[in-house]
Amino acid sequence: MESCLAERLFSKETQSGLKVYVLPKKDYNKIFAMYSTNYGSIDSEFIVPGTGEHLKVPEGIAHFLEHKMFEMEYGNVFDKFSELGASPNAYTSYTNTTYLFSGTSHFRESLKLLLEFVESPYFTEESVEKEKGIITQELRMYEDEPEWQLLLNLLKCLYHKHPVRIDIGGTVESIQNIDVETLYKCYHTFYHPSNMILFVIGCIDPEEVFELVEKNEASKGLSPQAEIKRIYPEEPTTIHKVSHEVKLDVNEPLFLTGFKDADVGSDGKALLKKEITTELLLEIMFGRSSELFERLYEEGLIDDRFSFGYEGHKDYGFCTIGGETKDPEKLHGELLGCISSTIEKGIDIEDFQRVKKKYTGEFISGFNSLEFIATNFVSYHHKNINIFDYLKVLEEITMQDVTERLNSFFDFSRNATSLVIPK
Amino acid sequence: MNQGKLTMGFRTNTKYSDEDYYSLMVYNGILGGGSHSKLFQNVREKASLAYYAFSRLEKNKGLMIVSSGIDFDDRERAIEIINQQLEDIREGKISDYEFDSTIKCLVNSFKEAADNPAMIISLYLDGILNGVQRSTKEIIENLYKVTKTDVVNVAERICLDTVFFLNKK
């Protein structure tokens, strides 16, 4: 285990293939548990195990399914959690759906309840129709958020066909096509324990958790499931569109530019290394301590909402850089100019070392938060990455690594831009 | 604009430093402080009008804000349902489930606060600003003492001040 973090992780895989992880933190008052499936909005096409049916499902169904999971035959499971004084929640991302709770008492009961409700699909026509109304309002809420639209449009520019270009929640139109039968098919395909992980952190004994999970499983008698066949469209490395602009009710233009990663196909440590390397590069060029940030900030071209990031998965990856600006074209030019000159001059070793230290510090301090550990453990796990490898991988990244990535990733032919401008 | 944003501002006439501030916290929890609350159950789950419908206290100013994102055409209906919840509490129509869940949820959040440095600081700051330092232990003890009658009593002092609706052009 990571010595400077002083954490001890306990793990077990059950008969049905569920991976259970427990990280005891006895000095905390609470426990935080996440039950997550490797199924997200990008999994809109797959072969149903058993029947071999090739299914293409309505956009937004993974998210819809997440909402409906809370409904049980006896009512809403939120109520049961409330009675235990626990706070449940859930979220759907492009690649996984996660159900969680945090609580300071009744740990066993809350954990049992988490397993129970996620393992009990219950969908009726009436409740599906009712949920369409709620999710429509959720989608409308996001439609009113300019920054959400900004990113969505950038993804539509970067990707021709890959489902990452579709909003996680789908559209108001697409969710109308969701029905009970399809919900069950998606559930039975992706919610098998072999495709899932349970992560528990806080003041709890690992043996207690393993015992509870195994007892729960024994009462179910699940049959094993073959590997899930997911179907993704062929996506070229080229971008779809160079730019996209919309007019919304904003006071100042919002700008977001991105690069599409042509280097795809790896997960695990290779992906982790690539992710960290790319983030170090972005930090060196555009971070708060960079010469570019200071100059553009002083000039009033950007403000403190200026940010950047990299998102990497097995089959896709992209970075984003942007914020609010009164002159989007000028900002774009400055960013590309900075990349060109960094490629030409090379990276300053002092910047490289400083940024490595920053990321080390940020990661370690993140370990004060149970949510940070759980959320990142789970999302990394779905990419076959062990979060406890992070510090070592970060430490081992060399100047050569960042230089190679700098020269290969920032290809201007794979750059697209999204704009939101005032009406 | 794709969604109407409804915000209702209330004057609670109860200060953070008052002894019955605990009752106000419970009131707010019952009204709109989570998935067990009247707003969540009635505006979102039963009427399907919204994805979010909640209330929160502006504790240092003695205010309470009710917020919900709805279809433009549902404004009157949403306000009607919200007013009904306020009326119900004033009349003591609070179920054991609503009451008990609120207490549990509040107690839980204060216990979790002790795990979080930023929240510990925030609690001390509230104490300094309002001239009354309360430990999480003290807060939790006092929350358990709140009764439904106490909640009805603070409800009677709450007055609607402003309704704001962000509409499309």
Side-chain angles (χ1 to χ4, degrees):
Chain A
M1 249 326 101
E2 196 56 64
S3 52
C4 80
L5 290 174
E7 303 289 356
R8 229 193 126 197
L9 182 70
F10 293 79
S11 64
K12 196 165 204 174
E13 184 168 325
T14 68
Q15 275 236 309
S16 65
L18 173 69
K19 290 161 205 62
V20 187
Y21 296 91
V22 184
L23 192 63
K25 291 276 241 180
K26 61 178 172 55
D27 297 325
Y28 283 73
N29 283 336
K30 73 183 193 201
I31 76 161
F32 188 83
M34 285 183 145
Y35 197 14
S36 179
T37 171
N38 193 358
Y39 169 53
S41 66
I42 63 170
D43 297 304
S44 49
E45 203 174 338
F46 54 93
I47 309 280
V48 179
T51 67
E53 182 191 350
H54 181 141
L55 200 55
K56 189 154 192 339
V57 293
E59 285 152 10
I61 196 168
H63 171 251
F64 200 102
L65 184 45
E66 178 228 298
H67 270 236
K68 287 331 297 169
M69 281 316 303
F70 287 89
E71 206 134 318
M72 307 283 274
E73 236 169 310
Y74 55 71
N76 199 301
V77 83
F78 267 109
D79 301 348
K80 286 253 160 110
F81 275 110
S82 297
E83 279 166 28
L84 296 170
S87 308
N89 212 330
Y91 60 84
T92 311
S93 72
Y94 293 111
T95 55
N96 62 80
T97 311
T98 304
Y99 302 85
L100 57 106
F101 78 86
S102 72
T104 55
S105 62
H106 300 104
F107 298 151
R108 286 189 70 88
E109 294 95 319
S110 302
L111 205 46
K112 260 175 116 182
L113 188 58
L114 176 67
L115 296 174
E116 189 197 304
F117 94 85
V118 176
E119 291 165 9
S120 311
Y122 176 71
F123 319 124
T124 66
E125 269 179 41
E126 194 197 329
S127 74
V128 167
E129 283 316 299
K130 186 207 71 167
E131 204 65 41
K132 288 178 183 175
I134 294 173
I135 292 182
T136 296
Q137 286 317 311
E138 187 181 355
L139 294 173
R140 297 256 183 258
M141 182 184 84
Y142 287 118
E143 277 171 30
D144 277 343
E145 285 180 27
E147 271 149 11
W148 188 265
Q149 294 303 308
L150 190 68
L151 175 61
L152 190 59
N153 291 333
L154 179 67
L155 291 172
K156 286 181 163 29
C157 287
L158 291 175
Y159 293 91
H160 300 264
K161 294 198 199 130
H162 194 283
V164 73
R165 73 193 304 274
I166 308 292
D167 192 321
I168 293 170
T171 63
V172 175
E173 293 73 32
S174 73
I175 65 170
Q176 304 311 319
N177 299 320
I178 293 174
D179 60 32
V180 171
E181 197 191 334
T182 317
L183 284 170
Y184 275 113
K185 281 185 181 161
C186 290
Y187 179 86
H188 286 118
T189 303
F190 293 101
Y191 280 71
H192 189 272
S194 56
N195 193 40
M196 300 181 72
I197 147 183
L198 176 70
F199 184 85
V200 184
I201 182 171
C203 56
I204 195 162
D205 171 31
E207 281 316 310
E208 232 189 292
V209 176
F210 298 141
E211 193 201 306
L212 196 146
V213 172
E214 287 187 319
K215 223 171 156 189
N216 177 64
E217 196 164 285
S219 69
K220 293 210 138 104
L222 279 166
S223 40
Q225 193 195 57
E227 205 185 309
I228 301 164
K229 184 102 185 20
R230 301 161 201 255
I231 299 161
Y232 302 120
E234 280 286 321
E235 174 72 32
T237 57
T238 57
I239 60 172
H240 177 60
K241 208 174 162 204
V242 168
S243 71
H244 189 86
E245 184 182 290
V246 291
K247 288 191 161 82
L248 292 178
D249 283 310
V250 290
N251 282 329
E252 288 248 300
L254 294 178
F255 166 91
L256 195 69
T257 195
F259 286 83
K260 183 173 182 173
D261 203 342
D263 172 26
V264 291
S266 49
D267 61 4
K269 257 192 188 155
L271 177 59
L272 179 62
K273 180 176 176 179
K274 189 177 71 157
E275 176 195 286
I276 301 175
T277 306
T278 314
E279 286 178 341
L280 289 176
L281 274 171
L282 291 170
E283 185 73 43
I284 289 167
M285 289 190 286
F286 309 120
R288 289 288 181 275
S289 319
S290 70
E291 184 266 311
L292 182 82
F293 179 87
E294 188 173 337
R295 181 167 59 78
L296 297 186
Y297 186 89
E298 292 298 324
E299 280 175 22
L301 192 58
I302 56 175
D303 62 19
D304 61 6
R305 283 167 64 186
F306 177 77
S307 68
F308 49 84
Y310 173 78
E311 176 123 2
H313 290 262
K314 187 163 183 210
D315 305 310
Y316 68 88
F318 59 89
C319 78
T320 58
I321 312 155
E324 205 175 81
T325 179
K326 54 183 195 255
D327 192 342
E329 215 178 298
K330 182 158 189 239
L331 179 56
H332 194 201
E334 289 281 3
L335 297 175
L336 295 185
C338 177
I339 293 170
S340 297
S341 77
T342 310
I343 290 176
E344 199 188 304
K345 287 188 285 180
I347 295 157
D348 193 304
I349 189 158
E350 269 180 32
D351 289 340
F352 173 66
Q353 285 166 346
R354 175 177 44 79
V355 157
K356 269 179 105 171
K357 283 182 191 162
K358 176 181 178 174
Y359 274 46
T360 304
E362 271 180 7
F363 183 81
I364 294 173
S365 64
F367 267 67
N368 277 337
S369 157
L370 304 192
E371 285 85 352
F372 172 90
I373 300 169
T375 312
N376 286 295
F377 184 97
V378 168
S379 76
Y380 272 143
H381 189 275
H382 286 307
K383 302 192 241 187
N384 281 325
I385 294 171
N386 180 354
I387 195 178
F388 291 103
D389 287 337
Y390 186 95
L391 288 178
K392 188 142 191 285
V393 171
L394 167 60
E395 200 214 338
E396 287 172 353
I397 290 170
T398 63
M399 276 286 277
Q400 190 185 353
D401 291 326
V402 285
T403 308
E404 267 167 26
R405 184 67 169 159
L406 172 68
N407 291 319
S408 61
F409 178 63
F410 295 100
D411 184 329
F412 287 6
S413 70
R414 288 195 298 271
N415 173 238
T417 300
S418 170
L419 284 176
V420 169
I421 60 173
K423 275 189 177 157
Chain B
M1 291 274 309
N2 292 291
Q3 183 188 64
K5 317 291 187 205
L6 176 66
T7 306
M8 296 168 74
F10 297 80
R11 296 198 185 274
T12 64
N13 295 300
T14 300
K15 296 201 293 293
Y16 182 84
S17 51
D18 290 345
E19 268 316 297
D20 50 10
Y21 181 73
Y22 301 105
S23 309
L24 182 63
M25 277 200 275
V26 178
Y27 173 94
N28 180 67
I30 292 169
L31 177 65
S35 58
H36 57 274
S37 72
K38 284 183 182 288
L39 289 179
F40 188 94
Q41 292 296 332
N42 291 287
V43 179
R44 171 174 151 152
E45 292 298 305
K46 288 205 181 112
S48 234
L49 295 185
Y51 168 67
Y52 71 86
F54 62 85
S55 66
R56 61 175 182 83
L57 297 175
E58 245 327 316
K59 59 177 125 72
N60 296 320
K61 294 180 183 165
L63 303 175
M64 182 180 75
I65 316 284
V66 167
S67 295
S68 189
I70 51 177
D71 259 347
F72 304 107
D73 301 331
D74 287 331
R75 169 187 174 174
E76 290 312 317
R77 189 144 171 254
I79 292 178
E80 199 189 314
I81 297 174
I82 292 168
N83 282 332
Q84 186 60 54
Q85 307 318 308
L86 295 155
E87 171 88 22
D88 283 351
I89 300 179
R90 276 196 296 269
E91 288 178 6
K93 290 183 186 148
I94 302 165
S95 72
D96 288 342
Y97 165 74
E98 285 165 345
F99 187 79
D100 294 335
S101 303
T102 296
I103 304 284
K104 284 186 179 136
C105 182
L106 284 168
V107 167
N108 184 51
S109 68
F110 281 100
K111 282 191 179 158
E112 287 195 18
D115 284 347
N116 186 321
M119 295 214 53
I120 296 170
I121 291 173
S122 179
L123 196 59
Y124 277 120
L125 182 62
D126 287 337
I128 293 169
L129 289 173
N130 292 284
V132 52
Q133 278 300 348
R134 294 170 179 145
S135 65
T136 52
K137 187 163 173 278
E138 197 186 322
I139 294 172
I140 289 168
E141 268 166 21
N142 281 295
L143 282 170
Y144 278 128
K145 289 182 191 159
V146 175
T147 64
K148 283 187 191 176
T149 312
D150 293 330
V151 173
V152 173
N153 286 339
V154 289
E156 271 151 23
R157 296 205 295 271
I158 295 176
C159 309
L160 176 64
D161 186 290
T162 309
V163 177
F164 178 88
F165 188 66
L166 191 61
N167 208 343
K168 60 185 170 187
K169 278 193 178 139

PDB file of all heavy atoms in Angstrom, chain A residues 356-368:
ATOM      1  N   LYS A 356       4.611  19.188 -10.970  1.00  0.00           N
ATOM      2  CA  LYS A 356       4.561  17.825 -10.403  1.00  0.00           C
ATOM      3  C   LYS A 356       4.308  17.898  -8.898  1.00  0.00           C
ATOM      4  O   LYS A 356       3.530  17.133  -8.350  1.00  0.00           O
ATOM      5  CB  LYS A 356       5.866  17.074 -10.667  1.00  0.00           C
ATOM      6  CG  LYS A 356       5.877  16.275 -11.959  1.00  0.00           C
ATOM      7  CD  LYS A 356       7.199  15.578 -12.149  1.00  0.00           C
ATOM      8  CE  LYS A 356       7.091  14.093 -11.871  1.00  0.00           C
ATOM      9  NZ  LYS A 356       8.314  13.370 -12.251  1.00  0.00           N
ATOM     10  N   LYS A 357       4.968  18.829  -8.251  1.00  0.00           N
ATOM     11  CA  LYS A 357       4.795  18.980  -6.802  1.00  0.00           C
ATOM     12  C   LYS A 357       3.367  19.411  -6.488  1.00  0.00           C
ATOM     13  O   LYS A 357       2.750  18.927  -5.544  1.00  0.00           O
ATOM     14  CB  LYS A 357       5.765  20.029  -6.260  1.00  0.00           C
ATOM     15  CG  LYS A 357       7.186  19.554  -6.114  1.00  0.00           C
ATOM     16  CD  LYS A 357       8.067  20.652  -5.534  1.00  0.00           C
ATOM     17  CE  LYS A 357       9.526  20.238  -5.660  1.00  0.00           C
ATOM     18  NZ  LYS A 357      10.410  21.399  -5.512  1.00  0.00           N
ATOM     19  N   LYS A 358       2.850  20.313  -7.307  1.00  0.00           N
ATOM     20  CA  LYS A 358       1.484  20.794  -7.095  1.00  0.00           C
ATOM     21  C   LYS A 358       0.498  19.634  -7.153  1.00  0.00           C
ATOM     22  O   LYS A 358      -0.366  19.480  -6.294  1.00  0.00           O
ATOM     23  CB  LYS A 358       1.137  21.843  -8.157  1.00  0.00           C
ATOM     24  CG  LYS A 358      -0.300  22.311  -8.058  1.00  0.00           C
ATOM     25  CD  LYS A 358      -0.672  23.335  -9.129  1.00  0.00           C
ATOM     26  CE  LYS A 358      -2.149  23.677  -8.957  1.00  0.00           C
ATOM     27  NZ  LYS A 358      -2.604  24.745  -9.820  1.00  0.00           N
ATOM     28  N   TYR A 359       0.637  18.805  -8.169  1.00  0.00           N
ATOM     29  CA  TYR A 359      -0.290  17.690  -8.345  1.00  0.00           C
ATOM     30  C   TYR A 359      -0.147  16.655  -7.239  1.00  0.00           C
ATOM     31  O   TYR A 359      -1.121  16.051  -6.803  1.00  0.00           O
ATOM     32  CB  TYR A 359      -0.104  17.055  -9.729  1.00  0.00           C
ATOM     33  CG  TYR A 359      -0.928  17.757 -10.789  1.00  0.00           C
ATOM     34  CD1 TYR A 359      -0.937  19.150 -10.869  1.00  0.00           C
ATOM     35  CD2 TYR A 359      -1.718  17.044 -11.670  1.00  0.00           C
ATOM     36  CE1 TYR A 359      -1.710  19.806 -11.811  1.00  0.00           C
ATOM     37  CE2 TYR A 359      -2.488  17.694 -12.627  1.00  0.00           C
ATOM     38  CZ  TYR A 359      -2.475  19.080 -12.685  1.00  0.00           C
ATOM     39  OH  TYR A 359      -3.243  19.726 -13.606  1.00  0.00           O
ATOM     40  N   THR A 360       1.095  16.479  -6.759  1.00  0.00           N
ATOM     41  CA  THR A 360       1.316  15.558  -5.642  1.00  0.00           C
ATOM     42  C   THR A 360       0.571  16.059  -4.408  1.00  0.00           C
ATOM     43  O   THR A 360      -0.150  15.315  -3.755  1.00  0.00           O
ATOM     44  CB  THR A 360       2.822  15.451  -5.329  1.00  0.00           C
ATOM     45  OG1 THR A 360       3.504  15.049  -6.513  1.00  0.00           O
ATOM     46  CG2 THR A 360       3.086  14.431  -4.232  1.00  0.00           C
ATOM     47  N   GLY A 361       0.750  17.341  -4.122  1.00  0.00           N
ATOM     48  CA  GLY A 361       0.086  17.939  -2.958  1.00  0.00           C
ATOM     49  C   GLY A 361      -1.424  17.864  -3.051  1.00  0.00           C
ATOM     50  O   GLY A 361      -2.101  17.528  -2.084  1.00  0.00           O
ATOM     51  N   GLU A 362      -1.950  18.182  -4.219  1.00  0.00           N
ATOM     52  CA  GLU A 362      -3.404  18.167  -4.403  1.00  0.00           C
ATOM     53  C   GLU A 362      -3.979  16.779  -4.205  1.00  0.00           C
ATOM     54  O   GLU A 362      -5.017  16.608  -3.576  1.00  0.00           O
ATOM     55  CB  GLU A 362      -3.769  18.659  -5.812  1.00  0.00           C
ATOM     56  CG  GLU A 362      -3.946  20.144  -5.872  1.00  0.00           C
ATOM     57  CD  GLU A 362      -4.320  20.677  -7.259  1.00  0.00           C
ATOM     58  OE1 GLU A 362      -4.566  19.858  -8.172  1.00  0.00           O
ATOM     59  OE2 GLU A 362      -4.346  21.904  -7.394  1.00  0.00           O
ATOM     60  N   PHE A 363      -3.287  15.789  -4.719  1.00  0.00           N
ATOM     61  CA  PHE A 363      -3.770  14.418  -4.600  1.00  0.00           C
ATOM     62  C   PHE A 363      -3.776  13.970  -3.142  1.00  0.00           C
ATOM     63  O   PHE A 363      -4.753  13.434  -2.651  1.00  0.00           O
ATOM     64  CB  PHE A 363      -2.908  13.487  -5.443  1.00  0.00           C
ATOM     65  CG  PHE A 363      -3.377  12.065  -5.435  1.00  0.00           C
ATOM     66  CD1 PHE A 363      -4.418  11.658  -6.255  1.00  0.00           C
ATOM     67  CD2 PHE A 363      -2.799  11.133  -4.583  1.00  0.00           C
ATOM     68  CE1 PHE A 363      -4.865  10.343  -6.242  1.00  0.00           C
ATOM     69  CE2 PHE A 363      -3.245   9.814  -4.560  1.00  0.00           C
ATOM     70  CZ  PHE A 363      -4.268   9.423  -5.393  1.00  0.00           C
ATOM     71  N   ILE A 364      -2.679  14.236  -2.461  1.00  0.00           N
ATOM     72  CA  ILE A 364      -2.584  13.820  -1.055  1.00  0.00           C
ATOM     73  C   ILE A 364      -3.642  14.514  -0.204  1.00  0.00           C
ATOM     74  O   ILE A 364      -4.301  13.894   0.624  1.00  0.00           O
ATOM     75  CB  ILE A 364      -1.179  14.083  -0.488  1.00  0.00           C
ATOM     76  CG1 ILE A 364      -0.155  13.185  -1.199  1.00  0.00           C
ATOM     77  CG2 ILE A 364      -1.133  13.800   1.020  1.00  0.00           C
ATOM     78  CD1 ILE A 364       1.286  13.482  -0.822  1.00  0.00           C
ATOM     79  N   SER A 365      -3.829  15.823  -0.415  1.00  0.00           N
ATOM     80  CA  SER A 365      -4.826  16.517   0.406  1.00  0.00           C
ATOM     81  C   SER A 365      -6.235  16.072   0.070  1.00  0.00           C
ATOM     82  O   SER A 365      -7.133  16.144   0.899  1.00  0.00           O
ATOM     83  CB  SER A 365      -4.673  18.034   0.301  1.00  0.00           C
ATOM     84  OG  SER A 365      -4.933  18.463  -0.999  1.00  0.00           O
ATOM     85  N   GLY A 366      -6.441  15.563  -1.135  1.00  0.00           N
ATOM     86  CA  GLY A 366      -7.748  15.009  -1.494  1.00  0.00           C
ATOM     87  C   GLY A 366      -8.130  13.846  -0.587  1.00  0.00           C
ATOM     88  O   GLY A 366      -9.314  13.579  -0.359  1.00  0.00           O
ATOM     89  N   PHE A 367      -7.121  13.179  -0.048  1.00  0.00           N
ATOM     90  CA  PHE A 367      -7.382  12.014   0.793  1.00  0.00           C
ATOM     91  C   PHE A 367      -7.963  12.354   2.168  1.00  0.00           C
ATOM     92  O   PHE A 367      -8.250  11.468   2.956  1.00  0.00           O
ATOM     93  CB  PHE A 367      -6.123  11.136   0.920  1.00  0.00           C
ATOM     94  CG  PHE A 367      -6.100  10.048  -0.117  1.00  0.00           C
ATOM     95  CD1 PHE A 367      -5.953  10.361  -1.464  1.00  0.00           C
ATOM     96  CD2 PHE A 367      -6.284   8.733   0.232  1.00  0.00           C
ATOM     97  CE1 PHE A 367      -5.972   9.378  -2.437  1.00  0.00           C
ATOM     98  CE2 PHE A 367      -6.301   7.719  -0.734  1.00  0.00           C
ATOM     99  CZ  PHE A 367      -6.146   8.043  -2.065  1.00  0.00           C
ATOM    100  N   ASN A 368      -8.172  13.652   2.424  1.00  0.00           N
ATOM    101  CA  ASN A 368      -8.906  14.054   3.631  1.00  0.00           C
ATOM    102  C   ASN A 368     -10.378  13.807   3.446  1.00  0.00           C
ATOM    103  O   ASN A 368     -11.150  13.774   4.396  1.00  0.00           O
ATOM    104  CB  ASN A 368      -8.738  15.565   3.882  1.00  0.00           C
ATOM    105  CG  ASN A 368      -7.454  15.881   4.592  1.00  0.00           C
ATOM    106  OD1 ASN A 368      -6.893  15.020   5.260  1.00  0.00           O
ATOM    107  ND2 ASN A 368      -6.989  17.099   4.442  1.00  0.00           N
TER     108      ASN A 368
END
